[in-house]
């Protein structure tokens, strides 16, 4: 989901359908309730002395004279780093909802303690960014071209001209476990104690959740799952390809509704868009719905065709975050919730 014209679709696709954008923009998480000061046992990541470097998923190596401390990151990345005890100074991307609360993509990040450079796609306040004297910029990437997510293409040169090196973690066409490992490695390079009891416990919970989901799909192979996203005029049905969560769920045995290649072509392969009149095109027993603030949530969908869907009538609809916060603490519940839903689901299609 990236630059502006192609981004219009791809990003909308990503966002809407299950990849990575904000519906309605220029393109068309759960965790434990317990609060914690940080993800590490010591409370803060310990800065290492000497030069710092990290090779990102573009194959580019970011280098600084010392471990970065004035970090600016995409909101979801900042939330993941927070779970590992690494603080950021500024964020960009969905951070605050209209009522002033933390966006779902902010996780447990205290949004009152970070400078918000932009809350929507296309917003990035370069003056505020420069004022933070950043020594590292981190975000994700939703294509194979190295486009930095939520860094506007038209101002990318000005952003990078501020001087901070950038790191891109790919969340494109791979399984969830890979970017999870990459984010952990990045956090470790920034001083996180990745062998702490907190992180070790979170990783074990994630592994157990994956085993549970695999067992649930094996026991219920006929449960058909549809990944959807709602906007005012369009209902998006995602393919299980390209999105890191869906690719991993599929590898664990989840039986997904799959739009045809021709139906996916207009979105760059991410999703099929349906009118609300045709929302019943696919048979599904369980629907996992995009929970990002840019989309319409199930409780607010008024279309009669939606309410008549067998899965909806059976109450077999759960939330899905197409942009998972890349910490084991936040991703384990995604697997647990899906496993629970498949274990309980009745065949209604």
């Amino acid at each position: 989901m990236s630059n502006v014209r192609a981004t219009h679709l791809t990003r909308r696709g990503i966002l809407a359908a299950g990849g990575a954008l904000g519906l309605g923009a220029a393109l068309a998480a759960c965790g434990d309730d317990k609060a914690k000061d940080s993800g590490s046992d010591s409370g803060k990541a310990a800065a290492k002395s000497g030069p710092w470097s990290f090779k990102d998923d573009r194959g580019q190596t970011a280098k600084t004279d010392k471990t970065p401390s004035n970090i600016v990151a995409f909101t979801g990345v900042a939330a993941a780093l927070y779970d590992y005890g690494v603080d950021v100074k500024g964020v960009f991307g969905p951070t605050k909802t209209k009522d002033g609360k933390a966006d779902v993509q902010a996780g447990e990040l205290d949004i009152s303690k970070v400078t918000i450079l932009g809350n929507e796609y296309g917003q990035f306040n370069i003056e505020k960014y420069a004022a933070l004297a950043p020594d590292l910029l981190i975000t994700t990437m939703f294509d194979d071209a190295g486009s930095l997510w939520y860094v506007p293409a038209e101002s990318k040169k000005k952003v990078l001209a501020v001087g901070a090196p950038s790191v891109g973690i790919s969340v494109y066409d791979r399984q969830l476990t890979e970017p999870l490992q990459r984010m952990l490695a990045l956090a470790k390079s920034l001083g996180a104690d990745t062998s702490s009891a907190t992180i070790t416990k979170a990783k074990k919970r994630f592994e157990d959740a994956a085993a549970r989901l695999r067992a649930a799909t094996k026991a219920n192979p006929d449960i058909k799952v549809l990944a959807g996203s709602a906007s005012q005029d369009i209902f998006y049905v995602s393919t299980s390809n390209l999105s890191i969560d869906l690719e991993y769920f599929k590898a664990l045995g989840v039986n997904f509704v799959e739009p045809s290649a021709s139906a996916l072509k207009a979105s760059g392969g991410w999703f099929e868009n349906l009118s609300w009149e045709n929302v019943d095109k696919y048979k599904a027993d369980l629907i996992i719905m995009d929970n990002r603030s840019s989309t319409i949530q199930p409780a607010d969908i008024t279309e009669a065709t939606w309410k008549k869907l067998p899965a909806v009538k059976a109450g077999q609809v759960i939330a899905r975050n197409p942009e998972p916060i890349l910490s084991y603490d936040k991703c384990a519940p995604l697997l647990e919730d899906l496993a629970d839903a498949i274990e309980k689901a009745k065949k209604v299609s």
Side-chain angles (χ1 to χ4, degrees), residues 8 132 144 230 248:
H8 189 72
L132 291 173
D144 56 7
Y248 187 49

Side-chain angles (χ1 to χ4, degrees), residues 45 47-48 52 62-74 77-78 81 85-92 113-115 117 124 128-139 159 162-167 186 189-191:
K48 299 177 181 178
W52 173 89
K63 298 179 180 180
T64 57
D65 293 336
K66 60 180 181 179
T67 303
S69 57
N70 289 346
I71 302 170
V72 172
F74 173 70
V77 170
L81 292 177
V86 178
D87 290 330
V88 303
K89 296 295 179 67
V91 298
F92 54 96
K113 295 183 178 179
V114 293
T115 298
L117 305 177
F124 193 109
K128 283 186 178 181
Y129 175 60
L132 291 173
D135 49 16
L136 182 62
L137 173 71
I138 313 171
T139 188
V159 171
V162 171
S166 62
V167 164
L186 175 59
S189 79
L190 294 170

Side-chain angles (χ1 to χ4, degrees), residues 97-298:
T97 60
K98 292 179 180 179
D99 59 5
K101 296 180 181 179
D103 189 274
V104 63
Q105 291 183 251
E108 295 179 46
L109 189 68
D110 186 342
I111 62 173
S112 70
K113 295 183 178 179
V114 293
T115 298
I116 300 174
L117 305 177
N119 199 55
E120 297 178 5
Y121 194 82
Q123 295 179 351
F124 193 109
N125 191 310
I126 299 175
E127 291 71 24
K128 283 186 178 181
Y129 175 60
L132 291 173
D135 49 16
L136 182 62
L137 173 71
I138 313 171
T139 188
T140 50
M141 300 183 298
F142 279 93
D143 59 29
D144 56 7
S147 303
L148 298 176
W149 188 232
Y150 266 79
V151 176
E154 62 273 15
S155 56
K156 178 182 176 181
K157 289 184 178 180
K158 291 182 179 179
V159 171
L160 297 181
V162 171
S166 62
V167 164
I169 300 296
S170 180
V171 289
Y172 174 73
D173 195 18
R174 61 203 61 206
Q175 294 181 24
L176 176 61
T177 46
E178 185 175 342
L180 266 174
Q181 292 164 0
R182 293 291 287 148
M183 189 62 71
L184 185 67
L186 175 59
K188 182 178 181 179
S189 79
L190 294 170
D193 178 9
T194 56
S195 63
S196 71
T198 298
I199 295 176
T200 299
K201 182 179 179 180
K203 289 181 69 176
K204 178 62 165 54
R205 181 183 174 188
F206 178 87
E207 292 164 358
D208 289 346
R212 179 185 172 187
L213 179 56
R214 188 185 294 277
T217 61
K218 186 175 182 179
N220 302 278
D222 295 330
I223 296 300
K224 200 74 175 177
V225 180
L226 183 149
S229 183
S231 69
Q232 183 175 354
D233 300 315
I234 299 173
F235 183 78
Y236 301 87
V237 179
S238 290
T239 175
S240 62
N241 297 318
L242 302 184
S243 298
I244 56 173
D245 61 329
L246 302 186
E247 286 204 10
Y248 187 49
F249 297 160
K250 180 172 63 175
L252 294 174
V254 175
N255 183 8
F256 280 108
V257 166
E258 297 287 1
S260 66
S262 59
L264 296 169
K265 188 174 182 180
S267 70
W270 289 94
F271 59 89
E272 177 180 0
N273 53 327
L274 300 175
S275 66
W276 284 104
E277 289 77 13
N278 295 316
V279 74
D280 60 353
K281 177 178 179 179
Y282 297 106
K283 305 295 184 182
D285 305 295
L286 173 65
I287 301 175
I288 56 176
M289 286 292 287
D290 189 338
N291 71 347
R292 288 170 296 181
S293 56
S294 56
T295 66
I296 299 174
Q297 298 307 299

